[in-house]
Amino acid sequence: MNKAQVKPYIESLLRKDKLIKALEAMADYSAGYDDDEFSDLILALIARYNNLKREKDMGMISYGDANIRMNQLRHSILGILGELPDVGNAIDIPGAKPRVVRSGNEKTEEKIRSKEENKTLKVLFLSSNPSEFGQTGQLELGNEFRKIKDVIQLSKNRDLVELDGEPAVTIGTIISAMHDKQPDIVHFSGHGDNSIFVVNDQDGYSNLSQNGLVRLFRQYGKKLKCLVLNACYTNAIAKKISELGIYVVGMNQKVKDLASITFSKGFYQGLTHDKGIPHAFETGMIHLSGHETLSDQNTPELWHEGKQVTF
């Protein structure tokens, strides 16, 4: 089969928004006939499509953003279409001769799987419990981290979530962790009051304001899908940061240790179900519904694009 036969078929698939079929057809046609650089490019585009579809299905990106990125991917495919080898493997084309399956396609599929982007969600758990808040202000942050870790480890989908922790964070350590680890989800646990309180270099605490947090996540949160602010009075911050296009969980009042930990356990149990951030939030709320007071049950709020997400 030659390029003149294959190219119109692939173009028709792209017009019908069948991007993955177009990419698979290109991979099958060119397998064994192209150079490694072109093969790697196709495999990278397939991985890009699969990752984008997963993010869309999980509700990690808005419908509009998904369409924009799909259009960008379509243009990328069109851009390399002319680089197909002049002669290649026979593929199934409606109205054409039956496809002759070439041995070795299993190897191509294996390469696709090995090239596919890592689907693991990286969770960065940041905690701060400054000593200046006194004994009565000390929170069970270590216990919360252990409970989250246990929930993930007990799930059959444990490999979906990778949990990393940074205790006693300063502004500097948060910036370093965001830059170095490139997390998908950031979870802050500590004290809040229309800002969050972090440790400073003088063993006291610093107030990281709403303005500072917006700047932080605008600059270092390019991959960020969700931010959990498990601290008192953080719903106004959540609303503002969510305008960056990410999901943000905030608390609309003072939150007790037990309620905070209960919600976190449920949230990460839901996250391992691979059904998106809203599903994870609702699972956390279900866990919290067993709490004795109605105020505890309604403390967490989920925000996205400046609007509270309701169910």
Side-chain angles (χ1 to χ4, degrees):
M1 186 168 277
N2 59 49
K3 181 161 62 172
Q5 295 171 292
V6 173
K7 191 177 175 184
Y9 170 62
I10 293 173
E11 288 172 338
S12 72
L13 290 174
L14 293 174
R15 285 194 296 272
K16 297 173 184 176
D17 291 332
K18 297 181 178 180
L19 274 62
I20 191 61
K21 289 199 173 201
L23 286 166
E24 289 172 347
M26 291 170 71
D28 286 349
Y29 169 77
S30 59
Y33 287 87
D34 59 341
D35 56 31
D36 288 339
E37 185 177 345
F38 182 71
S39 176
D40 288 346
L41 185 55
I42 294 176
L43 297 177
L45 289 172
I46 291 174
R48 183 172 150 193
Y49 173 89
N50 288 337
N51 194 54
L52 176 55
K53 185 176 183 300
R54 176 178 171 274
E55 288 183 0
K56 181 182 176 183
D57 292 346
M58 290 183 69
M60 291 180 173
I61 55 175
S62 67
Y63 181 80
D65 286 342
N67 280 343
I68 290 171
R69 288 169 62 181
M70 281 293 185
N71 280 328
Q72 291 171 341
L73 180 57
R74 183 184 291 103
H75 286 303
S76 296
I77 299 169
L78 284 169
I80 67 165
L81 201 51
E83 299 177 34
L84 283 168
D86 292 331
V87 177
N89 300 303
I91 61 173
D92 289 325
I93 298 177
K97 292 180 180 180
R99 177 182 177 184
V100 178
V101 178
R102 180 181 180 270
S103 61
N105 280 355
E106 293 82 1
K107 186 176 181 181
T108 301
E109 291 173 3
E110 186 179 339
K111 285 178 72 178
I112 291 171
R113 287 193 295 270
S114 67
K115 289 276 182 177
E116 193 168 317
E117 292 176 7
N118 192 343
K119 293 183 178 180
T120 302
L121 288 171
K122 295 181 180 179
V123 178
L124 176 61
F125 183 95
L126 305 172
S127 60
S128 179
N129 207 3
S131 58
E132 288 193 13
F133 281 87
Q135 193 63 36
T136 57
Q138 294 303 292
L139 305 172
E140 297 185 40
L141 306 184
N143 186 30
E144 182 181 357
F145 181 80
R146 285 191 297 274
K147 296 288 188 183
I148 292 171
K149 186 176 180 180
D150 289 345
V151 165
I152 294 170
Q153 288 300 314
L154 288 171
S155 171
K156 67 177 183 179
N157 294 328
R158 65 181 68 88
D159 292 337
L160 181 66
V161 182
E162 177 185 314
L163 179 64
D164 198 357
E166 288 282 346
V169 292
T170 65
I171 293 175
T173 55
I174 293 175
I175 291 172
S176 294
M178 290 293 297
H179 178 268
D180 297 343
K181 301 180 187 298
Q182 296 287 300
D184 300 293
I185 296 171
V186 170
H187 183 117
F188 174 81
S189 193
H191 293 281
D193 189 358
N194 295 313
S195 61
I196 63 170
F197 299 100
V198 297
V199 178
N200 65 23
D201 295 331
Q202 288 75 45
D203 294 326
Y205 67 88
S206 295
N207 183 325
L208 187 47
S209 67
Q210 173 178 291
N211 226 20
L213 286 164
V214 170
R215 288 176 179 271
L216 171 73
F217 292 111
R218 182 186 293 124
Q219 181 71 19
Y220 295 98
K222 305 299 183 186
K223 282 185 58 184
L224 198 63
K225 310 295 189 301
C226 179
L227 169 65
V228 180
L229 295 171
N230 206 355
C232 305
Y233 304 109
T234 49
N235 59 325
I237 304 173
K239 177 182 179 181
K240 189 66 178 176
I241 297 175
S242 76
E243 292 174 3
L244 298 175
I246 62 176
Y247 285 100
V248 188
V249 177
M251 305 297 163
N252 60 28
Q253 63 173 353
K254 185 175 181 179
V255 57
K256 300 172 186 174
D257 256 347
L258 182 57
S260 174
I261 293 171
T262 300
F263 173 78
S264 291
K265 285 171 58 181
F267 180 88
Y268 288 98
Q269 181 185 35
L271 194 67
T272 63
H273 296 164
D274 198 14
K275 293 184 178 179
I277 302 301
H279 173 86
F281 178 82
E282 270 297 89
T283 307
M285 296 300 282
I286 292 169
H287 276 255
L288 203 53
S289 67
H291 258 250
E292 53 190 41
T293 65
L294 186 62
S295 61
D296 284 343
Q297 296 172 20
N298 296 320
T299 300
E301 295 178 356
L302 179 64
W303 291 81
H304 187 244
E305 296 184 339
K307 298 177 182 179
Q308 187 176 353
V309 180
T310 55
F311 300 86

